[in-house]
Amino acid sequence: MSSVRGKVAVVTGAGSGIGRQLALELGRRGARLAVSDVDETGLAETVAEVKALGMEVRGAALDVSDRVAVQEYAATVAGRFGVVHQIYNNAGVAGGGQTVLDAEWELYDRTLAVNLFGVINGTKAFLPHLIDSGEGQVVNISSLNGFMAQPTLSAYCASKFGVRGFTEALRTEMIAGGHPVRVTVVHPGGVKTGIASSALKEAQARGIEPTAEQVERVRLYNEKLLKMPADQAARIIVDGVEAGKPRVLVGNDAKLVDKLVRLLPRLYPKLIVDFERRRFARR
């Protein structure tokens, strides 16, 4: 029997991609769900799919960068379910496409607000409830860019490195304090979601027209690098949570890059640049 059966699990960014598949995987394993997203249309679709499984689910529109809204949401979820066992801080944005020299401050503000402070907001808001449950779990979604840097992804890398550091610090505190909360950081590799394409849409929404090179990069990411189906990634994540793993690497690419960075910390940046020059050279 699944260890999440009957547990109350919260999933942010559940309107699409890994977040939606996490909700469905948890639902299949018998969890009671509270799901949220800024995309109310996508969220409604997720809620409908979870209900079709016969599981209890409540959806709510939520911007995880809004600290007050997240705190109110945590209180609402705890009040409705009576207890909260797990939080999957999954919501995120792409936050890339420009060099440090060219990037506008707005890119850093928005990326860090969602990807890093969204995780911090969710963790802090739900942590007292997780402790009270007596068997809590914090699951924070980082990225392979949480341990590997790439050019034109400085905002995204900063946010995902930050998620990793925050989560690992939280784990030490839960151990030191003897709190009944397990803590997991997740590093997905290339998962087939719409995150690369959304970066172009976000840029256009800010009045920035993507270059032909940026459009080509997104096409190649979608066709060549983002390969793992999101439902497979969700299964790996929930399997890791049920096994009590403190760190979950999703995909062979994440595992390979993890080894590369550990073995060749000084050389890997040059190898990454060489790889990108070959992979993304104008065609």
Side-chain angles (χ1 to χ4, degrees):
M1 181 179 293
S2 170
S3 64
V4 303
R5 180 170 296 279
K7 300 292 194 303
V8 175
V10 179
V11 183
T12 68
S16 62
I18 293 176
R20 172 177 290 178
Q21 295 304 323
L22 277 172
L24 290 170
E25 185 63 29
L26 289 162
R28 292 186 191 99
R29 301 191 192 201
R32 304 161 63 200
L33 291 162
V35 297
S36 65
D37 204 297
V38 291
D39 175 7
E40 295 187 50
T41 300
L43 180 65
E45 293 171 355
T46 300
V47 168
E49 290 187 37
V50 174
K51 285 184 176 179
L53 298 174
M55 301 310 301
E56 181 180 2
V57 59
R58 294 179 181 272
L62 181 69
D63 178 352
V64 296
S65 69
D66 185 336
R67 185 169 300 154
V68 173
V70 174
Q71 291 170 337
E72 292 175 349
Y73 177 62
T76 297
V77 171
R80 285 176 175 173
F81 287 91
V83 65
V84 183
H85 300 97
Q86 300 183 343
I87 173 73
Y88 292 77
N89 287 304
N90 165 78
V93 295
Q98 294 178 299
T99 67
V100 175
L101 282 173
D102 294 333
E104 298 181 354
W105 284 109
E106 183 183 357
L107 175 67
Y108 291 98
D109 290 341
R110 180 59 179 162
T111 304
L112 292 171
V114 175
N115 291 3
L116 178 55
F117 279 97
V119 168
I120 296 172
N121 292 341
T123 299
K124 282 185 64 62
F126 280 96
L127 191 57
H129 303 295
L130 302 181
I131 292 172
D132 288 345
S133 78
E135 47 185 334
Q137 179 88 43
V138 175
V139 185
N140 291 337
I141 310 300
S142 179
S143 165
L144 67 76
N145 288 121
F147 50 74
M148 180 198 75
Q150 287 179 257
T152 74
L153 289 178
S154 61
Y156 187 75
C157 290
S159 68
K160 294 301 187 178
F161 269 73
V163 169
R164 175 188 172 188
F166 171 77
T167 307
E168 293 183 355
L170 174 66
R171 186 182 306 122
T172 66
E173 292 177 358
M174 295 299 98
I175 294 170
H179 298 298
V181 177
R182 295 186 299 183
V183 180
T184 300
V185 62
V186 179
H187 296 282
V191 178
K192 194 179 296 184
T193 69
I195 191 167
S197 298
S198 70
L200 293 183
K201 295 178 182 178
E202 290 170 13
Q204 291 171 325
R206 299 198 309 272
I208 301 171
E209 193 61 33
T211 65
E213 183 176 348
Q214 290 170 334
V215 172
E216 177 67 4
R217 175 182 284 262
V218 168
R219 184 187 71 80
L220 288 171
Y221 258 90
N222 287 333
E223 294 180 2
K224 303 293 185 181
L225 298 179
L226 305 181
K227 295 181 179 180
M228 179 180 286
D231 59 345
Q232 181 181 351
R235 286 195 298 274
I236 292 170
I237 293 168
V238 180
D239 283 347
V241 169
E242 291 201 302
K245 292 183 178 180
R247 189 168 184 258
V248 177
L249 300 177
V250 181
N252 290 331
D253 50 354
K255 295 174 183 177
L256 177 62
V257 169
D258 181 50
K259 291 179 180 178
L260 174 68
V261 171
R262 290 172 182 272
L263 292 173
L264 302 171
R266 294 180 62 184
L267 182 59
Y268 98 79
K270 182 179 184 302
L271 295 177
I272 293 298
V273 171
D274 289 344
F275 170 82
E276 293 214 349
R277 283 173 177 166
R278 292 194 305 272
R279 175 67 75 173
F280 301 119
R282 289 185 180 275
R283 298 167 186 265

